[in-house]
Amino acid sequence: MSEVLLEPLLRRLRLQRVISQIPSNAKVLDIGCGRSAALLNAIAPRIDHGVGIDFKVSQAKVGNIETIPCKLDQSLPFPDQCFDIVTMLAVLEHIEHEAPILQEIHRVLKNSGKLILTVPSVRAQPVLEFLAYRLKIVDEAEIRDHKRYYDRQTLHKVMLENVPFQSFQHQYFQFGMNNFCLVTKRSE
């Protein structure tokens, strides 16, 4: 299945924003890695181990990168505190109930581990809908599947009130159309 025109560009821009936040030799879980596990393949030479999960991906292991088919409506298939970094790029907006997956992420992160995520901003909704429904250059099914859009305040509440993350860092990017958020698991 080929991608709609803007999809590869939007993914590349998200990856550029995130890659610099991933330390060398980290154990990384990419939730919603997509068919190609693009983020993990981009960082493979500098990380210890990467695991990508997505309902679209095939089971595979190549070098230090592993992909596992998995739906996000269940517990993550990993032991407690096994990842340094969890990434979730353009995924949270597709999940009906945020708290269970965020609690699972918190569980699999090591103490002081980081969750890095991107989600579309409230300002992006009319733009994405126009690009998808009118111009057909963004995947219409993906946009229709969005459960919500975020602003800084909403993300702050979701990350710090529902799950005990700390050190909330937030920036808008892509002309305010996207949110970048980084939170840390409190050391216990």
Side-chain angles (χ1 to χ4, degrees), residues 56-118:
K56 300 175 187 175
V57 76
S58 300
Q59 180 96 27
K61 181 158 180 25
V62 178
N64 64 340
I65 303 300
E66 181 178 0
T67 54
I68 301 170
C70 180
K71 291 187 178 181
L72 297 181
D73 59 358
Q74 57 198 36
S75 298
L76 295 175
F78 308 106
D80 295 354
Q81 299 187 25
C82 60
F83 292 101
D84 302 300
I85 302 288
V86 174
T87 58
M88 196 175 203
L89 310 183
V91 175
L92 192 62
E93 68 273 15
H94 295 280
I95 297 175
E96 188 70 42
H97 303 287
E98 305 159 319
I101 190 65
L102 292 172
Q103 290 164 351
E104 277 295 289
I105 290 169
H106 189 270
R107 180 184 66 76
V108 301
L109 272 173
K110 294 178 182 178
N111 289 335
S112 300
K114 297 185 184 321
L115 165 61
I116 302 168
L117 64 85
T118 65

Side-chain angles (χ1 to χ4, degrees), residues 1-149:
M1 184 169 136
S2 65
E3 289 185 297
V4 181
L5 183 65
L6 279 182
E7 298 297 323
L9 173 64
L10 294 173
R11 181 177 43 257
R12 205 168 27 255
L13 291 171
R14 279 192 301 271
L15 292 181
Q16 287 175 350
R17 181 66 187 93
V18 170
I19 286 174
S20 65
Q21 300 296 318
I22 300 173
S24 297
N25 301 314
K27 287 186 169 72
V28 178
L29 171 62
D30 185 21
I31 296 175
C33 66
R35 285 183 181 86
S36 66
L39 171 66
L40 294 174
N41 286 309
I43 62 175
R46 56 193 271 288
I47 62 171
D48 179 53
H49 184 72
V51 178
I53 61 172
D54 198 307
F55 71 95
K56 300 175 187 175
V57 76
S58 300
Q59 180 96 27
K61 181 158 180 25
V62 178
N64 64 340
I65 303 300
E66 181 178 0
T67 54
I68 301 170
C70 180
K71 291 187 178 181
L72 297 181
D73 59 358
Q74 57 198 36
S75 298
L76 295 175
F78 308 106
D80 295 354
Q81 299 187 25
C82 60
F83 292 101
D84 302 300
I85 302 288
V86 174
T87 58
M88 196 175 203
L89 310 183
V91 175
L92 192 62
E93 68 273 15
H94 295 280
I95 297 175
E96 188 70 42
H97 303 287
E98 305 159 319
I101 190 65
L102 292 172
Q103 290 164 351
E104 277 295 289
I105 290 169
H106 189 270
R107 180 184 66 76
V108 301
L109 272 173
K110 294 178 182 178
N111 289 335
S112 300
K114 297 185 184 321
L115 165 61
I116 302 168
L117 64 85
T118 65
V119 289
S121 74
V122 173
R123 292 174 50 191
Q125 184 174 2
V127 174
L128 288 172
E129 289 174 355
F130 179 76
L131 294 173
Y133 305 146
R134 299 283 188 170
L135 298 183
K136 311 281 189 209
I137 58 175
V138 172
D139 188 334
E140 200 172 311
E142 289 285 321
I143 302 307
R144 193 175 300 109
D145 188 53
H146 285 182
K147 310 295 188 257
R148 70 196 71 72
Y149 291 82

